Amino acid sequence: MPCLNWRKENTPQRPKERRQCTHRESLAQFLAHNTVLSAGGTKMKTTHLCSQVGVTNTETELQLSVLLDQFSITAAKKVYLLEADTALSPEETAMEGVGQPAKMKCLEGPHLNQGPAKSCGSLAPEKELVSASHLEEEEENEEGEEDLDPDPDLAPGPEEEEEEEDEKDLGDPAVLSAVHNTQRGGLSSPGIKIPDVLGMSPTSLHFLWQTLDYLSPVLFRPKFPSANSPACHFGHQLLLPDPSLFCSLPTSWPPKFSLPSHLTQLHPQHQRLLQLQQHSRMQSPPAKKPWSQQPDPYANLMTRKEKDWVIKVQMVQLQSENPRLDDYYYQKYYQKLEKKQADDELLGRKNKVESLKLVTPYIQKAEAYESVVRIEGSLGQVAVSTCFSPRRAIDAVPHGTQEQEAGAASSQRLRVLHHIEKMFLQLLEIEEGQKDGPPQPCYSEQQSKQVEKLFLALKTQEQNNLEEAADGFLQVLSVRKGKALVARMLPFLPQNQAVSLLLAITHHLPLLVRRDVADQALQMLFKPLGRCISHLTFHELLQGLQGLTLLAPGSSERPVTVVLQNQFGISLLYALLSHGEQLVSLDSSLEKSNSDYTTWTDMVVLIAWEIAQMPTASLAEPLTFPSNLLPLFCHHVDKQLVQQLEARMELAWIY
Amino acid sequence: MNYMPGTASLIEDIDKKHLVLLRDGRTLIGFLRSIDQFANLVLHQTVERIHVGKKYGDIPRGIFVVRGENVVLLGEIDLEKESDTPLQQVSIEEILEEQRVEQQTRLEAEKLKVQALKDRGLSLPRADTLDEY
């Protein structure tokens, strides 16, 4: 059978030529064979196959070869190969067996794209039909096809060697043998194992697969009456390259009229305009032949191989170890898009339009080279030229310690800012490790270590003195970004560390409040601190409040007064009081422990008195007003005061 | 976009008519035949179009190979819409003359400006010492 012997026949030709005419000839042969069979009028399943391919007579076959000349042959070969390969596997006599490589193929190919199940689904039935027909052909015709098996192995042999030399050549034969051998490899093991039959490394082979896969959807489109189907259909899942589409491909590739894909956001007016245009186009020339315009004689000067090469180069530039980090915005955008589509689908929009995702090739990086070599004993550096950078400039790497700037206030501020930046980087790493989900105290060892490190960095800041350390912390908090850092860090910290931060904040609350006048950014700390407060013990709570109520030496004013005038301060205070009240009401034993409880009552009274003293206008509005505050005051304070408080607090709240 | 969703690539623009604006201010119109990873362009049947006011003139240039870094922007030309412009096409000689006249007036205005600044003790930095960006 000619179609099975195509490789054998073409072996004696010279390698270069073989590359060019093999495929065209082989496909022509294959088609010729099938046309002969169908012309013979035998009631074979090949007629079904032929009708699929769209070849019913020699005229269309000629047309086909013309078309194949003009367009990419790669995808066509892919189809052919798939069919041929199933034929070349005589050991799989059962239908299942043949169905399997098809499925495995489709698993391998588009596995990085969406909808592998879908494409499998569409792939499988056609495959089965094809393979079934082939099998029956074989069974009916010749026996002893085992000898064919070693031949394909031999035939690609010399081809492979050529391809090894020609690494960058993503050309057809490479693809051809890649596909061929992948198929064979796939047959032997159900897993996705690419055998090292070829000289190419598995990863580059893998990449070739992806090249094929993203190429195929472009070329094969559903057969619409107008050939100018808009490009938005490209957004579909990977369609099976339907052989029946050969005839419907228009001359110019890609189509002249292309709507931007649904991935692009258009101004609504623009969108309406384009839609109108599209409609008018669809309506007006339904009779227009696809080849209405003069065929461009200069078309395809840039061959498929060259286009693939450029794409490959661009893809290589895009590869990254961690796309979530490197390509953050695109990944997030794509996630949003997918979610939106899923929602749309749920709502009943019948169109399941799956958008393609950019799949960057995973090519193993060449072993790290040093572009700059330091020879011991010599001054300066020597630039080593490699294939990546023929003449790379010498890196200006500073050696030695940086100068210590002493004293200047600006340098101090710069140091603080620099420190905040370093800590922020650590925080971002932690957040990244915590993928998708609310931040929570980490469970993995590595993350805990990172968090620990960050906390130490924040707390100690390379200061020897405890006071200075606290001062450093306050300096961090004086910067807006520092506040953001602490706010984002708090959820990750274990309780005891979070509490220590909270206590530090409450102790220095007046100072922080004063420094925050410009930014007004303390608010962002409220939520995480609130969460921390709800886990406080009574004793810790008292510690926190004590800082506020104690009279600072050398000032007649209590810190509370200042705190009450600031929104964050008053909110924090209220939160603390509310939590205290909750603790007391829940655990009656606390009332027994005298010292703590008396301190508590004293504090409550003091605070109540301060609130009452404060003119209503200067009383700040809290972010949240806990409901158990007034009852708390009722417990400890006389009625008159309570009424005063009520009036003030509610007024302030209403405002 | 089809090959690499989410990216911008010139692959789909091949064999289409494009308008290319270069850094030196020239406007080229031609069929984009070939590209490479640096966005170097090969333009076929190129025409250099000079615009002056509402008039324009085309100078046929043949094949252009443009180094990628010199391109400011390029865009596909819709062949069906190409003809309905409000602009008026004139002959090459005429448009070159117009361009010369326009250049002259611009230079004179510039000279006046520089003189006025000089009188006030100011000076504009020279164009060649200006930063590109």
Side-chain angles (χ1 to χ4, degrees), chain A residues 214-215 218 231 234 253-256 263-264 277 281 296 298-302 304 307 309-311 313-315 318 330 356-358, chain B residues 1-16 31 33-39 42 44-45 76 78-81:
Chain A
Y214 67 68
L215 287 175
V218 182
F234 290 171
W253 170 91
K256 283 199 168 66
L263 288 171
T264 50
Q277 278 178 10
R281 262 177 226 263
D296 189 2
Y298 296 97
N300 293 320
L301 273 172
M302 195 174 184
R304 167 49 70 98
K307 285 184 187 147
W309 184 81
V310 172
I311 290 171
V313 170
Q314 291 177 330
M315 289 288 237
L318 289 178
Y330 176 70
L356 292 170
K357 188 178 189 180
L358 180 68
Chain B
M1 277 286 194
N2 304 309
Y3 286 100
M4 304 198 282
T7 66
S9 172
L10 285 171
I11 291 285
E12 300 86 42
D13 289 329
I14 291 209
D15 293 334
K16 293 184 183 159
F31 289 90
R33 291 295 175 204
S34 185
I35 58 159
D36 70 353
Q37 70 267 34
F38 307 109
V42 171
H44 181 225
Q45 293 170 347
E76 190 189 334
D78 190 339
L79 293 165
E80 290 166 20
K81 289 198 178 154

